[in-house]
Amino acid sequence: MPLTPRPIVSIGAGGIVHDAHLPAYKKAGFELEAIYDLDAEKAKALAAQFGVKRVYGSLSKIISESSNNAVYDVAVPAAATLGVLEALPDNAIVLMQKPMGNTLEEAEAIQALVEAKSLTAAVNFQLRFAPYVLAARSLIEQGAIGDLHDMEVRVTVYTPWHLWSFLETLPRMEILYHSIHYLDLVRSFLGEPQGVYAKTIKHPKLPKLASSRSTMMLDYGDTVRATISTNHSHEFGLKHQESYIKWEGTKGAIKATMGLLLNYPEGEPDTLEYCLLKENVLPTWTSVPLEGSWFPDAFIGAMSSLMRFAEGSDANLPTVSHNALKTMQLVDAAHRSSDAGGVSVDLA
């Protein structure tokens, strides 16, 4: 947590703000100074629910009347992010909801603007701060499972895409708006890949969506494997739904269940287990008790990380915008790989 929390100004009052941002900040005890949305009634309703002091229907006015030390929490459609950043004062502190624009070109323009305006800017890749990810990272950094050589993310769930109707208009969807979390997470553990092999395809019953199922493999050479497989159209009940991250090392393994995605939006409990290899002992798995979950607790971590960096308590900002740009480059590469198709088996 930051030593001196800053007031938060929320730019946007959509579903993710209602479900995760504001519940997280309220749970953390952060001050919610003001909220703005194009839909003023929606902003008023959220303000009443979460005790936000002031409500605005004007972007310029909320910015002009915000505290000098405020953090701007920008949660608007990706295409609108650049325009919001242009309106912010120079040297502002800002947390942007992912993705960092809808395209790599938009992401590059956002980063250029961040540098030109000297913004302290991060992107809200909050999965890095989920309790099970923090616990797994701690085990790995302690050397508990040895050298990490395999990382796998597998999601087989039924996702009610109708909750986010704006996704139907996007030329890129599943990787850009969902699997981007997993690409960013793999980068945070394994560093930058040499390349990516990917294929993303449509939903079998929702043709308006650009994609809803993806398979990706990141190239880390001959000894490290990293795979991401997502299927959001598994409508056959909970029994065979899957939602996990698995890390394997030379001395052990860790597996986390991302309960949020199972039976969404109700969700199921998160779990974390680890197995440490011991000579002449059969492998056994040990459960780790967890507090909190991806929603809303990881959003506390993302905001706290930015506040601590801004006050000088931390020298490193893991989700700083120039690092997030590398995730956007990986997203773009995955889409280009998918568009290019596989190697032909026709030898004629």
Side-chain angles (χ1 to χ4, degrees):
M1 298 293 287
L3 300 178
T4 307
R6 296 167 180 263
I8 296 171
V9 174
S10 182
I11 308 296
I16 192 65
V17 177
H18 175 275
D19 295 343
H21 290 243
L22 297 193
Y25 305 152
K26 185 174 182 179
K27 185 174 183 178
F30 294 154
E31 178 189 355
L32 298 168
E33 181 176 273
I35 187 169
Y36 155 81
D37 196 90
L38 289 172
D39 186 338
E41 293 305 312
K42 183 188 296 184
K44 288 179 182 178
L46 273 184
Q49 182 177 351
F50 290 98
V52 182
K53 294 179 180 178
R54 303 194 304 273
V55 180
Y56 292 85
S58 164
L59 179 61
S60 60
K61 190 171 182 180
I62 193 175
I63 292 172
S64 67
E65 297 185 6
S66 294
S67 300
N68 291 333
N69 66 332
V71 176
Y72 293 94
D73 188 35
V74 179
V76 297
T81 300
L82 186 63
V84 172
L85 297 187
E86 288 173 340
L88 295 181
D90 290 355
N91 304 302
I93 302 167
V94 56
L95 182 63
M96 295 173 268
Q97 184 53 268
K98 61 80 193 167
M100 191 177 170
N102 275 325
T103 65
L104 179 57
E105 290 74 20
E106 287 182 16
E108 291 170 340
I110 287 171
Q111 179 57 29
L113 185 64
V114 164
E115 295 172 5
K117 293 174 68 70
S118 298
L119 303 178
T120 300
V123 176
N124 202 340
F125 284 123
Q126 72 290 139
L127 181 57
R128 293 189 184 210
F129 301 95
Y132 42 81
V133 172
L134 294 178
R137 195 182 301 278
S138 177
L139 285 167
I140 292 168
E141 289 178 349
Q142 292 175 52
I145 67 169
D147 296 329
L148 182 62
H149 60 72
D150 199 285
M151 189 169 173
E152 176 183 4
V153 179
R154 187 171 184 85
V155 174
T156 305
V157 297
Y158 177 72
T159 300
W161 293 115
H162 65 274
L163 296 177
W164 308 279
S165 57
F166 75 95
L167 295 176
E168 293 182 354
T169 64
L170 300 176
R172 293 178 171 181
M173 204 285 286
E174 199 284 324
I175 297 176
L176 180 62
Y177 275 84
H178 185 83
S179 284
I180 187 173
H181 280 299
Y182 311 136
L183 291 170
D184 182 72
L185 190 68
V186 171
R187 284 188 57 248
S188 77
F189 279 92
L190 296 176
E192 307 307 328
Q194 300 171 22
V196 58
Y197 310 92
K199 185 65 179 178
T200 186
I201 60 176
K202 286 183 170 291
H203 193 289
K205 295 183 178 179
L206 299 173
K208 290 184 178 181
L209 292 177
S211 60
S212 71
R213 295 170 288 169
S214 304
T215 297
M216 291 174 278
M217 183 170 184
L218 281 63
D219 185 357
Y220 286 100
D222 296 336
T223 59
V224 176
R225 186 187 77 117
T227 62
I228 298 167
S229 178
T230 61
N231 173 8
H232 292 272
S233 56
H234 184 84
E235 55 182 336
F236 311 106
L238 260 177
K239 183 176 181 180
H240 292 296
Q241 285 192 18
E242 297 175 289
S243 176
Y244 67 78
I245 309 167
K246 182 164 58 66
W247 299 261
E248 295 186 12
T250 53
K251 297 179 181 179
I254 306 168
K255 186 175 182 180
T257 299
M258 299 181 286
L260 172 71
L261 305 180
L262 299 169
N263 194 31
Y264 191 88
E266 287 78 12
E268 296 291 317
D270 297 329
T271 65
L272 184 72
E273 300 174 283
Y274 66 88
C275 175
L276 305 182
L277 296 179
K278 298 179 182 179
E279 191 173 354
N280 300 322
V281 178
L282 288 175
T284 58
W285 287 83
T286 301
S287 295
V288 178
L290 297 170
E291 293 183 15
S293 188
W294 184 352
F295 282 35
D297 301 85
F299 288 74
I300 298 175
M303 179 58 78
S304 294
S305 174
L306 175 58
M307 287 188 183
R308 285 181 59 82
F309 180 77
E311 72 184 8
S313 298
D314 280 337
N316 180 43
L317 180 57
T319 59
V320 66
S321 60
H322 63 76
N323 186 285
L325 179 60
K326 294 181 180 180
T327 294
M328 288 296 291
Q329 291 169 339
L330 184 52
V331 166
D332 185 72
H335 278 286
R336 287 188 281 111
S337 174
S338 182
D339 293 341
V343 176
S344 174
V345 297
D346 184 2
L347 302 180

